[in-house]
C-alpha cells in the first residue's frame, strides 16, 4: 500500500463576522499556492458563502448539489488563480445553513471522492459558534482564530475558544490579528486575548501573525482581485505571505492514510452525536 502524504487541514474561524476572515483565507490560500503547495479552499459557510465573490468566480454548482447527490465534489470544484482550487459553499440556501451533523458529515464524506493530491485544505467556516462551525473546527487539524481591534471581536473569539476547550477538550489555537494599524498593535491585541485565556482557560494560543490594514486591501475587494495578486508589494500582501510561510513551517501531524480520511471519520463520528445548542 502506498504511503499517502499527510494533508494539512486548517479551520479559519472568527467568533464574529466582519473581521475579514474570508479575505484572509483566500489570500493565505493563494500565497501557499504561490509557494508550490497544492491548496483546496472550502467555503464552509453554509448560509452566506462568499469566497467566490472575493475571487470574482461564479460557480454553477455548490455543496448543496453534492449533498443532494446530483454532483460529486470533483464536479463542483473550481479552478482559481495561482492553482488554488475552490469548493464553493451554498449561499442563500436556507437548508444548507440548517444542516444536521449527519448531513454535514455527508458533505465531508464527499472528500473521499477528490482524486487529486492535496497538500493543504483550508476550511473557511461561517462566523459565530453554530453547530456547523464547531463541528468543522473540531474535525480540523489546526484552528486559526481571526480577531480585529474591536471589543466584540475579542469577547466573541474568547467565547469560541472557551466553548471548544470546555466542551470538546481542544487546547491549541493559532491567532491572526487582522486589519491592525501596525504589527506591534497586532501583537498587543494578541497579548490582550492571551492574558484572559491564560487566566481562565487551559489553552495554548500561538501568534500566527498580524495583517495591517491598507488602502490596497479595500481596493482589492472592490476589484474582486485578492490583494496578494493585485498588489503583491503592499504591506498587507507581504504580511499575508509571511503568515503563509509560517503556516507552511508548522509541523505536520501525520495520520494513517493522510489527514483527509481522518477528517472525514471525525465528522462522521460527530454526526452520530447531538447537535451543539
Amino acid at each position: 500500500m502506498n504511503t499517502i502524504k499527510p494533508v494539512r487541514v486548517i479551520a479559519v474561524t472568527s467568533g464574529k463576522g466582519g473581521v475579514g476572515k474570508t479575505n484572509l483565507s483566500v489570500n493565505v490560500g493563494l500565497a501557499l499556492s504561490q509557494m508550490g503547495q497544492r491548496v483546496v479552499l472550502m467555503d464552509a459557510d453554509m448560509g452566506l458563502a462568499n469566497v467566490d465573490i472575493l475571487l470574482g468566480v461564479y460557480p454553477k454548482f455548490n455543496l448543496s448539489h453534492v449533498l443532494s447527490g446530483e454532483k460529486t465534489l470533483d464536479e463542483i470544484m473550481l479552478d482559481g488563480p495561482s492553482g488554488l482550487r475552490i469548493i464553493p459553499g451554498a449561499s442563500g440556501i436556507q437548508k444548507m445553513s440548517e444542516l444536521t451533523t449527519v448531513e454535514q458529515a455527508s458533505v465531508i464524506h464527499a472528500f473521499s471522492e477528490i482524486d487529486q493530491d492535496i497538500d493543504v485544505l483550508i476550511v473557511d467556516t461561517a462566523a459565530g459558534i453554530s453547530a456547523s462551525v464547531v463541528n468543522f473546527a473540531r474535525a480540523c487539524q489546526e484552528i486559526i482564530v481571526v480577531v480585529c481591534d474591536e471589543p466584540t471581536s475579542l469577547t466573541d473569539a474568547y467565547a469560541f475558544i472557551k466553548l471548544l476547550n470546555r466542551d470538546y477538550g481542544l487546547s491549541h489555537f493559532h491567532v491572526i490579528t487582522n486589519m491592525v494599524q501596525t504589527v506591534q498593535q497586532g501583537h498587543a491585541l494578541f497579548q490582550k486575548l492571551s492574558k484572559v485565556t491564560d487566566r481562565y482557560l487551559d489553552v495554548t494560543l500561538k501568534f500566527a501573525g498580524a495583517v495591517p490594514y491598507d488602502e490596497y486591501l479595500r481596493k482589492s475587494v472592490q476589484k474582486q482581485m485578492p490583494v496578494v495578486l493585485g498588489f503583491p508589494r503592499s504591506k498587507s500582501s507581504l504580511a499575508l505571505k509571511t503568515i503563509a510561510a509560517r503556516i507552511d513551517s508548522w509541523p505536520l501531524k501525520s495520520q494513517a492514510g493522510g489527514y483527509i480520511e481522518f477528517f472525514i471519520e471525525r465528522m462522521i463520528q460527530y454526526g452520530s452525536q447531538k447537535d451543539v445548542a
Side-chain angles (χ1 to χ4, degrees):
M1 187 174 143
N2 293 334
T3 306
I4 302 169
K5 182 176 178 288
V7 178
R8 198 185 293 285
V9 184
I10 303 165
V12 181
T13 65
S14 64
K16 80 180 282 288
V19 300
K21 171 185 61 60
T22 297
N23 205 344
L24 192 138
S25 297
V26 166
N27 280 289
V28 167
L30 285 166
L32 283 164
S33 291
Q34 290 174 342
M35 291 163 58
Q37 296 292 302
R38 293 164 299 182
V39 184
V40 171
L41 173 58
M42 176 185 176
D43 191 341
D45 187 334
M46 298 305 185
L48 298 163
N50 55 8
V51 163
D52 49 328
I53 294 165
L54 289 175
L55 283 164
V57 294
Y58 302 97
K60 271 177 79 172
F61 304 106
N62 55 49
L63 277 174
S64 68
H65 298 97
V66 176
L67 190 72
S68 66
E70 292 169 64
K71 295 287 173 187
T72 65
L73 205 52
D74 264 349
E75 286 171 336
I76 70 160
M77 213 181 293
L78 299 171
D79 290 322
S82 299
L84 178 71
R85 297 199 303 273
I86 302 110
I87 298 169
S91 182
I93 299 173
Q94 190 64 22
K95 166 94 174 83
M96 291 300 286
S97 61
E98 296 171 352
L99 293 183
T100 66
T101 43
V102 175
E103 288 170 322
Q104 288 164 30
S106 73
V107 172
I108 301 303
H109 192 64
F111 277 91
S112 61
E113 299 164 353
I114 299 178
D115 58 13
Q116 301 130 317
D117 289 331
I118 305 177
D119 296 314
V120 184
L121 171 66
I122 297 173
V123 180
D124 181 43
T125 71
I129 52 174
S130 67
S132 170
V133 175
V134 168
N135 286 332
F136 277 119
R138 289 168 70 200
C140 288
Q141 189 186 39
E142 307 281 2
I143 300 170
I144 292 174
V145 181
V146 182
V147 295
C148 65
D149 195 8
E150 289 174 14
T152 51
S153 173
L154 285 178
T155 53
D156 288 4
Y158 174 77
F160 182 59
I161 292 166
K162 180 181 174 184
L163 172 70
L164 288 174
N165 176 238
R166 185 196 61 206
D167 293 357
Y168 303 105
L170 298 182
S171 58
H172 288 79
F173 300 86
H174 303 275
V175 176
I176 293 175
T177 53
N178 199 23
M179 301 188 289
V180 292
Q181 296 301 314
T182 62
V183 172
Q184 291 76 8
Q185 187 205 11
H187 209 276
L189 193 58
F190 166 75
Q191 295 290 1
K192 203 185 283 188
L193 179 61
S194 194
K195 200 172 170 183
V196 183
T197 57
D198 283 352
R199 188 169 175 184
Y200 297 108
L201 305 175
D202 183 20
V203 299
T204 302
L205 298 192
K206 288 185 178 169
F207 183 58
V211 182
Y213 183 80
D214 59 27
E215 268 301 291
Y216 297 106
L217 263 179
R218 188 182 58 78
K219 282 183 186 173
S220 70
V221 172
Q222 286 175 338
K223 289 185 168 192
Q224 291 181 291
M225 167 70 75
V227 74
V228 297
L229 299 180
F231 306 99
R233 302 301 303 164
S234 64
K235 278 185 185 172
S236 52
S237 265
L238 295 174
L240 287 156
K241 288 173 186 175
T242 300
I243 288 169
R246 195 168 286 158
I247 289 169
D248 192 47
S249 73
W250 291 348
L252 263 173
K253 299 170 185 171
S254 63
Q255 302 289 339
Y259 202 84
I260 292 282
E261 288 171 32
F262 185 59
F263 181 54
I264 296 159
E265 282 166 22
R266 282 173 82 160
M267 282 303 297
I268 289 168
Q269 170 198 328
Y270 301 147
S272 63
Q273 296 172 8
K274 193 163 74 79
D275 275 354
V276 177

